[in-house]
Structures are given as C-alpha cells and as structure tokens.
C-alpha cells in the first residue's frame, strides 16, 4: 500500500507538471488565454449534490486498476492518466455528465473514452467505454515553488581550469 501511495504521489506531481507545462499544441494562433490557477474552480450552478455536472473533477485523483496504481489529473479541459501507460487528452466539463477523450502513448484503448458515473466528495467513479470502471480518490498535491533562489554575488577571483 505504501509503495502504491508513493507511486501515486510521484505520478501526481508528474501529471501536474505535464498539465502546468502545457505540453502539446492547442493549434491556436500562438496567443495564450489566461487560465485559472489550481485554487480557482467553477462555482456550481445546478444541484449542489451533482458535482459531476459542474466540472468538479478538476484536480488530481488516484486509484488502483488491475493491481496497478493510476493517477488522473484534470485541469480545465485538459486531462492526463498516468499508470502502466500515459494517456493525455481532454475532459469535457461542460457535458452532463463529464466525459473524457484520451489517447495513450502505447496505443492502448482500455481507458481512452470515459464518463463520470459518480462524484461525491473525495470519490470519483469513471466508467470507460471498454467496460472497465475505476474509482478514484482525491489527492492533495502540495504547491511547488518555481522561483529560483538568489545565490548572491559570486567571487570575482575564481579561476577556471584550463586544459
């Protein structure tokens, strides 16, 4: 269990880094649109118990599928599933229920098209077109600083080695 938690934590950080770095192309004009930070989420507009309809899937989720640890990371309309393979794609948070369309690096199709069946508190259940159902648990990912610390003035009398 501890090993799974470690893998899930490492995969969560990797998934967050992939989503934050914006890997992939949006096919747009090169201009970037402002995106909400991880603390900003859409306010529910419907029944408060129906989180799946409001895009409440944003965040990082972990599960075990077939005895293997998996991490699902969702940020806006971008999604990544990391586990035995890496799958990236989109989450249609405007759909009711929320749907996922992913493409896996190894060509796997087990978890490429999915639909949120349940989202209650810290539990997210996804039904995949392949017939597989996974229940994910919300993972709190700590903030990672991107600031480079100042190292101060370097000594001016440094001599570089010569051949």
């Amino acid at each position: 269990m501890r090993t799974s938690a470690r893998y899930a934590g490492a995969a969560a950080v990797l998934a967050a880094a992939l989503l934050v770095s914006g890997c992939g192309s949006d096919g747009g004009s090169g201009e970037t649109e402002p995106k909400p930070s991880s603390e900003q989420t859409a306010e529910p507009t419907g029944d408060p118990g129906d989180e799946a309809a409001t895009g409440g899937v944003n965040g990082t989720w972990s599960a075990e599928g077939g005895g293997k640890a998996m991490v699902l990371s969702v940020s806006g309309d971008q999604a990544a599933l990391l586990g035995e393979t890496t799958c990236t794609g989109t989450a249609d948070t405007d759909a009711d229920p929320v749907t996922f369309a992913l493409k896996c690096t190894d060509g796997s199709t087990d978890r490429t098209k999915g639909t949120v069946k349940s989202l209650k508190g810290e539990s997210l259940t996804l039904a995949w077109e392949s017939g597989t159902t996974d229940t994910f648990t919300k993972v709190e990912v700590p903030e990672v600083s991107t600031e480079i610390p100042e190292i101060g003035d370097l000594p001016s009398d440094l001599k570089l080695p010569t051949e």
Side-chain angles (χ1 to χ4, degrees):
M1 179 68 179
R2 287 181 184 240
T3 302
S4 294
R6 267 188 249 137
Y7 287 134
V13 171
L14 178 60
L18 286 172
L19 288 173
V20 169
S21 69
C23 67
S25 171
D26 64 359
S29 64
E31 294 180 26
T32 58
E33 292 183 29
K35 294 189 178 182
S37 71
S38 61
E39 289 87 27
Q40 296 173 328
T41 58
E43 289 296 320
T45 56
D47 175 13
D50 190 12
E51 295 177 57
T54 66
V57 297
N58 281 310
T60 304
W61 305 83
S62 70
E64 282 195 27
K68 306 283 184 184
M70 295 183 297
V71 173
L72 173 68
S73 185
V74 184
S75 179
D77 65 348
Q78 299 295 303
L81 180 66
L82 304 165
E84 216 170 325
T85 186
T86 301
C87 308
T88 58
T90 59
D92 186 353
T93 57
D94 292 332
D96 185 14
V98 174
T99 58
F100 291 87
L102 307 176
K103 184 174 181 179
C104 301
T105 56
D106 68 353
S108 168
T109 59
D110 290 344
R111 291 179 172 89
T112 53
K113 298 211 181 288
T115 303
V116 172
K117 289 297 176 192
S118 170
L119 176 57
K120 294 181 181 159
E122 304 292 305
S123 180
L124 167 68
T125 302
L126 263 174
W128 300 99
E129 225 175 54
S130 66
T132 303
T133 300
D134 295 313
T135 300
F136 293 84
T137 303
K138 186 85 169 197
V139 175
E140 291 302 320
V141 179
E143 291 286 324
V144 178
S145 175
T146 57
E147 289 185 31
I148 299 174
E150 290 191 30
I151 58 173
D153 292 331
L154 294 175
S156 60
D157 61 344
L158 284 178
K159 299 204 188 309
L160 297 176
T162 59
E163 291 184 52

